[in-house]
Amino acid sequence: MNLEVSIGGLKMKNPVMTASGTFGYGEEYEEFLDLNLLGAIVVKGLSLQPKEGNPPPRVVETAAGMLNAIGLQNIGIERFVSEKIPFLRTLNTPVIVNFFGDSVDEYSEAASRLDGVEGIHALEMNISCPNKQAGWAAFGTDPKVTCEVVSAVRKRTTLPLIVKLSPNVTDIALMARVAEDSGADALSLINTLTGMAIDIRTRSPKLANIRGGLSGPAIKPVAVRMVYDVFKAVKVPLVGMGGIMNADDAVEFIMAGASAVAVGTANFINPSVAGEIALGIAAFMEREGIGDIRLLKGAAHAV
Amino acid sequence: MSRAFRAEIRENLPLNRNHKLLTLAPLDPMSEPQPGQFYMVEVHEGFDPLLKRAFSLFRRTPQGMQLMYRLQGRGTAILGNMRPGSVINMLGPLGRGYPLPAAGETPIIIAGGIGIASVFSLIETVPARAHVIYGARTRDDLFMLNELKEISKGLSVCTDDGTDGQQANVLQMLDQVLGAHPQELADAVVYACGPRPMLRALSVMTKAKDIKAYLSLEEHMACGIGACLGCVVRAKDTGTAAEDKDRQGTYQRVCKEGPVFDADGIVWE
Ligand SMILES: Cc1cc2nc3c(=O)[nH]c(=O)nc-3n(C[C@H](O)[C@H](O)[C@H](O)COP(=O)(O)OP(=O)(O)OC[C@H]3O[C@@H](n4cnc5c(N)ncnc54)[C@H](O)[C@@H]3O)c2cc1C
Ligand SMILES: Cc1cc2nc3c(=O)[nH]c(=O)nc-3n(C[C@H](O)[C@H](O)[C@H](O)COP(=O)(O)O)c2cc1C
Ligand code: FES
């Protein structure tokens, strides 16, 4: 049976990766699963300089989901390279570094700093974060800005470049085409949906940051639809995510058009789940008599 | 060893109208917990409610452990309805517990309300050594008073409404205890768990009196294992990182660097 997939030049032994920000720097999960079972590990989003993040409360549970406003807290690229990469390099699983900046220059600098580092196999560019130069509107919501920042990063790295799309747009297929035309080797989707919750007793927002990103099972139908739409619009491979809790959910994303999938919030509910999903996809293929995972990709488009 | 395990509910005993004591027997090998550590407990059948709930180790038992909990919202309501024989998924023990008092030190252990759940096992760990101060709203919300009397050096009880012990708060009680035992309390170490305003006031008081204090904090959590960065509080590293001293501290994870923090390092916001 073949579970191998390739994402913009990155070969993975199976299609299951972890979603950025939900798997720490990998080491936090070592005791809970065999990290070598994974297709790839995607680490918490990094920036050139360490970032402190938002004040608490940062997470709040909602119906079948959660809102988070971590504010991209991270230890910065230098500490990641010196403190976290040595452990990750002992694994037989490729490492994808998610990164962001608050200006086009910062994105490019970060990409070029990560480019030469041994033990980093691909980059995932988070464009759902605010742009200092453009009044803090997200890089991923204005096609012109998206084109500018992705093109700039493309010039500074030879690693496979995955652009992670924001779902907080009117036409995600358009944004996907822009990212593809600007040099993305692959696209990942979806990032969290902007949301909010109010405590009606205190009449105040539940998150200190007021707005947060919605993730978990609640967003899965939206995410599946977006993968389905983007699959029709572009040629580059897709990494699908958003509410994947088990192997069946993962297969659903693959049938919508994803070449690979990422497991996010589910890691909080069951820290071994990413490995279980990798095994579960194989079991599904076995039951269905499918010899190659690639035969499932986009299956829902046949009808 | 993985800290993920399944546990069977042996007993889910009501203590009063809104507090229960859960007795668990792990079905998988479990790591030995320290006082002040906690567990993440799965409370759902489907995906709603989604996240695990955090509960302190109340007491280690020969077969496993007990958790004491207050019925708060939906998750604890579901837990409250679970029957003996049910099996639940858990993670733990998690976080850093209370640093034990040194041989010459006198522990003063303070619980406000359900905070007793966190400090009870600490009191057990230093039998007949701790001055225990236990405050609650009313008599009906005080638990395990006989056990506490047995395992502590002295138990001072207070309630907001005066229905048991003194009508006072735990800070006033701490003042009394310190006043009554001036010589041995020169080497006092305070440990406390309770509502945040109580902990904050305690930290001001212990700082003014130059008493070492360790406080157990709560914050909303998603993962419980240090991965999501959801559960932070602002704190300074006391001791090691000198550079933190004059800064406003850093965000530290309640689930990993905590839940117990040196009171001196906490930056209250
Ligand atoms: C380290 C730690 C140890 C704890 N130990 C105990 C204990 O021993 N006994 C006990 O009764 N309670 C304890 N709590 C509080 C307990 O976790 C909450 O009461 C519980 O999560 C409420 O869940 P719910 O669904 O009933 O309430 P809801 O209010 O419906 O919960 C909604 C969401 O908010 C979160 N939440 C609500 N209150 C708290 C809180 N105080 N702290 C953190 N998250 C909260 C829930 O986990 C959930 O995600 C502890 C909390 C922490 C962080
Ligand atoms: C706590 C938390 C932190 C996250 N941090 C990041 C991040 O740093 N960079 C990023 O691109 N996405 C981040 N995400 C988004 C996830 O990677 C993922 O796109 C989203 O949660 C949807 O998947 P899920 O429903 O399976 O969680 C974060 C999500 C959560 C819940
Ligand atoms: S709860 Fe996730 S880091 Fe503490």
Side-chain angles (χ1 to χ4, degrees), chain A residues 19-21 44-45 68 98 126 164 190-192 215-216 241-243 264-265:
Chain A
S20 177
K44 173 71 188 164
N68 88 79
N98 180 289
N126 175 8
K164 184 165 179 180
I190 60 176
N191 212 317
T192 53
S215 66
M241 73 190 90
T265 300

Side-chain angles (χ1 to χ4, degrees), chain B residues 53-56 68-70 73-76 114 117 218-220:
Chain B
R53 270 38 180 177
F55 300 103
S56 306
M68 186 192 277
Y69 63 102
R70 183 176 59 199
R74 219 145 65 84
T76 44
I114 188 65
E218 293 182 356
E219 194 39 81
H220 284 223

Side-chain angles (χ1 to χ4, degrees), chain A residues 21 28-29 58-59 70 268, chain B residues 38 40 219-232 252-257:
Chain A
E28 292 86 345
Y29 283 84
R58 291 177 168 185
V59 295
I70 308 301
F268 305 153
Chain B
F38 69 99
M40 293 293 281
E219 194 39 81
H220 284 223
M221 293 184 172
C223 71
I225 58 171
C228 74
L229 309 180
C231 64
V232 298
Q252 305 202 7
R253 297 163 293 186
V254 170
C255 74
K256 191 92 177 183
E257 286 80 28

